[in-house]
Amino acid sequence: MTNLIDSYLLKSGMPAEELCIIGRAKRAFYYYGMFALGTSGLTLMLVGLFNIIG
């Protein structure tokens, strides 16, 4: 997943030097962290919606 996002960022115009400065481990931690937060937020939203409906 990190390679996919990195290639998207490079195609969008982000300089490769900037990606090198950030570091691959930090970027992977950020990407997976954002994915986990998004998933947990979506789950909480769906649980709340089902509690309201049910």
Side-chain angles (χ1 to χ4, degrees), residues 9 11 14 17-18 21-22 28 31 33 35 37-39 42-43 45 47 49-51 54:
L9 289 173
K11 288 179 186 175
M14 184 174 206
E17 297 84 24
E18 198 169 329
I21 290 170
I22 295 170
Y31 299 153
F35 177 75
L37 283 175
T39 303
L42 187 61
T43 302
M45 216 167 49
V47 167
L49 183 64
F50 287 135
N51 283 338

PDB file of all heavy atoms in Angstrom, residues 9 11 14 17-18 21-22 28 31 33 35 37-39 42-43 45 47 49-51 54:
ATOM      1  N   LEU A   9       1.595  10.069  -5.038  1.00  0.00           N
ATOM      2  CA  LEU A   9       2.139  11.357  -4.616  1.00  0.00           C
ATOM      3  C   LEU A   9       3.167  11.877  -5.611  1.00  0.00           C
ATOM      4  O   LEU A   9       3.211  13.073  -5.915  1.00  0.00           O
ATOM      5  CB  LEU A   9       2.755  11.251  -3.222  1.00  0.00           C
ATOM      6  CG  LEU A   9       1.777  11.078  -2.070  1.00  0.00           C
ATOM      7  CD1 LEU A   9       2.539  10.823  -0.778  1.00  0.00           C
ATOM      8  CD2 LEU A   9       0.886  12.287  -1.932  1.00  0.00           C
ATOM      9  N   LYS A  11       3.295  11.185  -8.840  1.00  0.00           N
ATOM     10  CA  LYS A  11       2.583  11.599 -10.048  1.00  0.00           C
ATOM     11  C   LYS A  11       1.845  12.912  -9.832  1.00  0.00           C
ATOM     12  O   LYS A  11       1.628  13.670 -10.772  1.00  0.00           O
ATOM     13  CB  LYS A  11       1.594  10.518 -10.482  1.00  0.00           C
ATOM     14  CG  LYS A  11       2.248   9.300 -11.058  1.00  0.00           C
ATOM     15  CD  LYS A  11       1.218   8.256 -11.447  1.00  0.00           C
ATOM     16  CE  LYS A  11       1.891   6.982 -11.894  1.00  0.00           C
ATOM     17  NZ  LYS A  11       0.908   5.923 -12.170  1.00  0.00           N
ATOM     18  N   MET A  14       4.596  15.765  -6.045  1.00  0.00           N
ATOM     19  CA  MET A  14       5.417  15.863  -4.835  1.00  0.00           C
ATOM     20  C   MET A  14       6.857  15.506  -5.189  1.00  0.00           C
ATOM     21  O   MET A  14       7.100  14.505  -5.857  1.00  0.00           O
ATOM     22  CB  MET A  14       4.898  14.920  -3.756  1.00  0.00           C
ATOM     23  CG  MET A  14       5.620  15.029  -2.450  1.00  0.00           C
ATOM     24  SD  MET A  14       4.806  14.011  -1.209  1.00  0.00           S
ATOM     25  CE  MET A  14       5.282  14.852   0.257  1.00  0.00           C
ATOM     26  N   GLU A  17      12.637  14.114  -3.395  1.00  0.00           N
ATOM     27  CA  GLU A  17      13.518  14.429  -2.277  1.00  0.00           C
ATOM     28  C   GLU A  17      12.721  14.561  -0.978  1.00  0.00           C
ATOM     29  O   GLU A  17      13.184  14.173   0.087  1.00  0.00           O
ATOM     30  CB  GLU A  17      14.274  15.742  -2.530  1.00  0.00           C
ATOM     31  CG  GLU A  17      15.193  15.713  -3.726  1.00  0.00           C
ATOM     32  CD  GLU A  17      14.472  16.016  -5.029  1.00  0.00           C
ATOM     33  OE1 GLU A  17      13.415  16.668  -4.998  1.00  0.00           O
ATOM     34  OE2 GLU A  17      14.964  15.576  -6.082  1.00  0.00           O
ATOM     35  N   GLU A  18      11.523  15.111  -1.096  1.00  0.00           N
ATOM     36  CA  GLU A  18      10.687  15.279   0.093  1.00  0.00           C
ATOM     37  C   GLU A  18      10.250  13.922   0.650  1.00  0.00           C
ATOM     38  O   GLU A  18      10.210  13.721   1.866  1.00  0.00           O
ATOM     39  CB  GLU A  18       9.468  16.122  -0.260  1.00  0.00           C
ATOM     40  CG  GLU A  18       8.766  16.705   0.930  1.00  0.00           C
ATOM     41  CD  GLU A  18       7.729  17.741   0.545  1.00  0.00           C
ATOM     42  OE1 GLU A  18       7.916  18.422  -0.467  1.00  0.00           O
ATOM     43  OE2 GLU A  18       6.728  17.834   1.271  1.00  0.00           O
ATOM     44  N   ILE A  21      13.166  12.521   2.528  1.00  0.00           N
ATOM     45  CA  ILE A  21      13.392  13.173   3.822  1.00  0.00           C
ATOM     46  C   ILE A  21      12.446  12.612   4.872  1.00  0.00           C
ATOM     47  O   ILE A  21      12.842  12.368   6.015  1.00  0.00           O
ATOM     48  CB  ILE A  21      13.214  14.707   3.679  1.00  0.00           C
ATOM     49  CG1 ILE A  21      14.352  15.291   2.861  1.00  0.00           C
ATOM     50  CG2 ILE A  21      13.147  15.373   5.037  1.00  0.00           C
ATOM     51  CD1 ILE A  21      14.147  16.740   2.469  1.00  0.00           C
ATOM     52  N   ILE A  22      11.186  12.398   4.502  1.00  0.00           N
ATOM     53  CA  ILE A  22      10.197  11.901   5.454  1.00  0.00           C
ATOM     54  C   ILE A  22      10.568  10.491   5.919  1.00  0.00           C
ATOM     55  O   ILE A  22      10.445  10.162   7.089  1.00  0.00           O
ATOM     56  CB  ILE A  22       8.783  11.916   4.837  1.00  0.00           C
ATOM     57  CG1 ILE A  22       8.357  13.349   4.554  1.00  0.00           C
ATOM     58  CG2 ILE A  22       7.780  11.243   5.759  1.00  0.00           C
ATOM     59  CD1 ILE A  22       7.093  13.467   3.733  1.00  0.00           C
ATOM     60  N   ALA A  28       4.754   4.915   6.142  1.00  0.00           N
ATOM     61  CA  ALA A  28       3.941   3.713   6.313  1.00  0.00           C
ATOM     62  C   ALA A  28       3.144   3.790   7.611  1.00  0.00           C
ATOM     63  O   ALA A  28       1.956   3.447   7.645  1.00  0.00           O
ATOM     64  CB  ALA A  28       4.825   2.470   6.304  1.00  0.00           C
ATOM     65  N   TYR A  31       0.293   6.234   6.942  1.00  0.00           N
ATOM     66  CA  TYR A  31      -0.739   5.681   6.051  1.00  0.00           C
ATOM     67  C   TYR A  31      -1.598   4.648   6.782  1.00  0.00           C
ATOM     68  O   TYR A  31      -2.822   4.692   6.716  1.00  0.00           O
ATOM     69  CB  TYR A  31      -0.117   5.021   4.820  1.00  0.00           C
ATOM     70  CG  TYR A  31       0.691   5.937   3.925  1.00  0.00           C
ATOM     71  CD1 TYR A  31       1.712   5.429   3.144  1.00  0.00           C
ATOM     72  CD2 TYR A  31       0.435   7.304   3.866  1.00  0.00           C
ATOM     73  CE1 TYR A  31       2.460   6.246   2.316  1.00  0.00           C
ATOM     74  CE2 TYR A  31       1.182   8.128   3.050  1.00  0.00           C
ATOM     75  CZ  TYR A  31       2.188   7.592   2.275  1.00  0.00           C
ATOM     76  OH  TYR A  31       2.920   8.399   1.463  1.00  0.00           O
ATOM     77  N   GLY A  33      -1.899   4.248  10.000  1.00  0.00           N
ATOM     78  CA  GLY A  33      -2.605   4.903  11.095  1.00  0.00           C
ATOM     79  C   GLY A  33      -3.861   5.601  10.612  1.00  0.00           C
ATOM     80  O   GLY A  33      -4.921   5.518  11.247  1.00  0.00           O
ATOM     81  N   PHE A  35      -5.544   4.822   7.946  1.00  0.00           N
ATOM     82  CA  PHE A  35      -6.470   3.769   7.550  1.00  0.00           C
ATOM     83  C   PHE A  35      -7.188   3.195   8.768  1.00  0.00           C
ATOM     84  O   PHE A  35      -8.406   2.992   8.752  1.00  0.00           O
ATOM     85  CB  PHE A  35      -5.711   2.663   6.795  1.00  0.00           C
ATOM     86  CG  PHE A  35      -6.583   1.509   6.409  1.00  0.00           C
ATOM     87  CD1 PHE A  35      -7.475   1.621   5.358  1.00  0.00           C
ATOM     88  CD2 PHE A  35      -6.512   0.310   7.101  1.00  0.00           C
ATOM     89  CE1 PHE A  35      -8.285   0.551   5.006  1.00  0.00           C
ATOM     90  CE2 PHE A  35      -7.318  -0.760   6.757  1.00  0.00           C
ATOM     91  CZ  PHE A  35      -8.204  -0.630   5.700  1.00  0.00           C
ATOM     92  N   LEU A  37      -7.660   4.679  11.739  1.00  0.00           N
ATOM     93  CA  LEU A  37      -8.565   5.682  12.292  1.00  0.00           C
ATOM     94  C   LEU A  37      -9.824   5.831  11.449  1.00  0.00           C
ATOM     95  O   LEU A  37     -10.930   5.968  11.977  1.00  0.00           O
ATOM     96  CB  LEU A  37      -7.851   7.033  12.409  1.00  0.00           C
ATOM     97  CG  LEU A  37      -6.883   7.178  13.561  1.00  0.00           C
ATOM     98  CD1 LEU A  37      -6.167   8.523  13.478  1.00  0.00           C
ATOM     99  CD2 LEU A  37      -7.587   7.048  14.880  1.00  0.00           C
ATOM    100  N   GLY A  38      -9.662   5.809  10.137  1.00  0.00           N
ATOM    101  CA  GLY A  38     -10.818   5.897   9.254  1.00  0.00           C
ATOM    102  C   GLY A  38     -11.746   4.705   9.412  1.00  0.00           C
ATOM    103  O   GLY A  38     -12.965   4.852   9.451  1.00  0.00           O
ATOM    104  N   THR A  39     -11.155   3.519   9.511  1.00  0.00           N
ATOM    105  CA  THR A  39     -11.955   2.309   9.687  1.00  0.00           C
ATOM    106  C   THR A  39     -12.691   2.319  11.021  1.00  0.00           C
ATOM    107  O   THR A  39     -13.880   1.990  11.082  1.00  0.00           O
ATOM    108  CB  THR A  39     -11.048   1.063   9.600  1.00  0.00           C
ATOM    109  OG1 THR A  39     -10.364   1.085   8.352  1.00  0.00           O
ATOM    110  CG2 THR A  39     -11.858  -0.206   9.711  1.00  0.00           C
ATOM    111  N   LEU A  42     -15.525   4.890  10.831  1.00  0.00           N
ATOM    112  CA  LEU A  42     -16.638   4.371  10.040  1.00  0.00           C
ATOM    113  C   LEU A  42     -17.412   3.313  10.812  1.00  0.00           C
ATOM    114  O   LEU A  42     -18.649   3.296  10.781  1.00  0.00           O
ATOM    115  CB  LEU A  42     -16.109   3.791   8.731  1.00  0.00           C
ATOM    116  CG  LEU A  42     -17.129   3.349   7.706  1.00  0.00           C
ATOM    117  CD1 LEU A  42     -17.991   4.530   7.268  1.00  0.00           C
ATOM    118  CD2 LEU A  42     -16.433   2.743   6.511  1.00  0.00           C
ATOM    119  N   THR A  43     -16.710   2.455  11.534  1.00  0.00           N
ATOM    120  CA  THR A  43     -17.365   1.428  12.342  1.00  0.00           C
ATOM    121  C   THR A  43     -18.226   2.052  13.434  1.00  0.00           C
ATOM    122  O   THR A  43     -19.380   1.651  13.635  1.00  0.00           O
ATOM    123  CB  THR A  43     -16.309   0.500  12.972  1.00  0.00           C
ATOM    124  OG1 THR A  43     -15.532  -0.082  11.927  1.00  0.00           O
ATOM    125  CG2 THR A  43     -16.957  -0.586  13.787  1.00  0.00           C
ATOM    126  N   MET A  45     -19.530   5.009  13.432  1.00  0.00           N
ATOM    127  CA  MET A  45     -20.653   5.668  12.788  1.00  0.00           C
ATOM    128  C   MET A  45     -21.747   4.660  12.425  1.00  0.00           C
ATOM    129  O   MET A  45     -22.935   4.913  12.659  1.00  0.00           O
ATOM    130  CB  MET A  45     -20.163   6.387  11.522  1.00  0.00           C
ATOM    131  CG  MET A  45     -20.867   7.671  11.259  1.00  0.00           C
ATOM    132  SD  MET A  45     -20.045   8.677  10.003  1.00  0.00           S
ATOM    133  CE  MET A  45     -19.751   7.558   8.686  1.00  0.00           C
ATOM    134  N   VAL A  47     -22.266   1.677  13.816  1.00  0.00           N
ATOM    135  CA  VAL A  47     -22.860   1.150  15.045  1.00  0.00           C
ATOM    136  C   VAL A  47     -23.864   2.141  15.609  1.00  0.00           C
ATOM    137  O   VAL A  47     -24.965   1.756  16.027  1.00  0.00           O
ATOM    138  CB  VAL A  47     -21.757   0.804  16.080  1.00  0.00           C
ATOM    139  CG1 VAL A  47     -22.334   0.561  17.457  1.00  0.00           C
ATOM    140  CG2 VAL A  47     -20.956  -0.400  15.618  1.00  0.00           C
ATOM    141  N   LEU A  49     -25.511   4.381  13.900  1.00  0.00           N
ATOM    142  CA  LEU A  49     -26.652   4.408  12.994  1.00  0.00           C
ATOM    143  C   LEU A  49     -27.574   3.219  13.237  1.00  0.00           C
ATOM    144  O   LEU A  49     -28.809   3.368  13.271  1.00  0.00           O
ATOM    145  CB  LEU A  49     -26.168   4.409  11.540  1.00  0.00           C
ATOM    146  CG  LEU A  49     -27.227   4.506  10.455  1.00  0.00           C
ATOM    147  CD1 LEU A  49     -27.950   5.849  10.561  1.00  0.00           C
ATOM    148  CD2 LEU A  49     -26.596   4.348   9.093  1.00  0.00           C
ATOM    149  N   PHE A  50     -26.987   2.032  13.438  1.00  0.00           N
ATOM    150  CA  PHE A  50     -27.815   0.865  13.724  1.00  0.00           C
ATOM    151  C   PHE A  50     -28.513   0.967  15.071  1.00  0.00           C
ATOM    152  O   PHE A  50     -29.622   0.487  15.233  1.00  0.00           O
ATOM    153  CB  PHE A  50     -26.978  -0.431  13.657  1.00  0.00           C
ATOM    154  CG  PHE A  50     -26.620  -0.829  12.254  1.00  0.00           C
ATOM    155  CD1 PHE A  50     -25.334  -1.229  11.953  1.00  0.00           C
ATOM    156  CD2 PHE A  50     -27.557  -0.796  11.228  1.00  0.00           C
ATOM    157  CE1 PHE A  50     -24.989  -1.611  10.662  1.00  0.00           C
ATOM    158  CE2 PHE A  50     -27.223  -1.178   9.941  1.00  0.00           C
ATOM    159  CZ  PHE A  50     -25.938  -1.568   9.649  1.00  0.00           C
ATOM    160  N   ASN A  51     -27.887   1.620  16.040  1.00  0.00           N
ATOM    161  CA  ASN A  51     -28.535   1.822  17.338  1.00  0.00           C
ATOM    162  C   ASN A  51     -29.707   2.783  17.224  1.00  0.00           C
ATOM    163  O   ASN A  51     -30.725   2.618  17.905  1.00  0.00           O
ATOM    164  CB  ASN A  51     -27.533   2.328  18.377  1.00  0.00           C
ATOM    165  CG  ASN A  51     -26.643   1.241  18.908  1.00  0.00           C
ATOM    166  OD1 ASN A  51     -26.983   0.063  18.836  1.00  0.00           O
ATOM    167  ND2 ASN A  51     -25.490   1.625  19.422  1.00  0.00           N
ATOM    168  N   GLY A  54     -32.399   0.717  15.101  1.00  0.00           N
ATOM    169  CA  GLY A  54     -32.916  -0.468  15.808  1.00  0.00           C
ATOM    170  C   GLY A  54     -33.352  -0.150  17.145  1.00  0.00           C
ATOM    171  O   GLY A  54     -34.149  -0.016  17.877  1.00  0.00           O
TER     172      GLY A  54
END
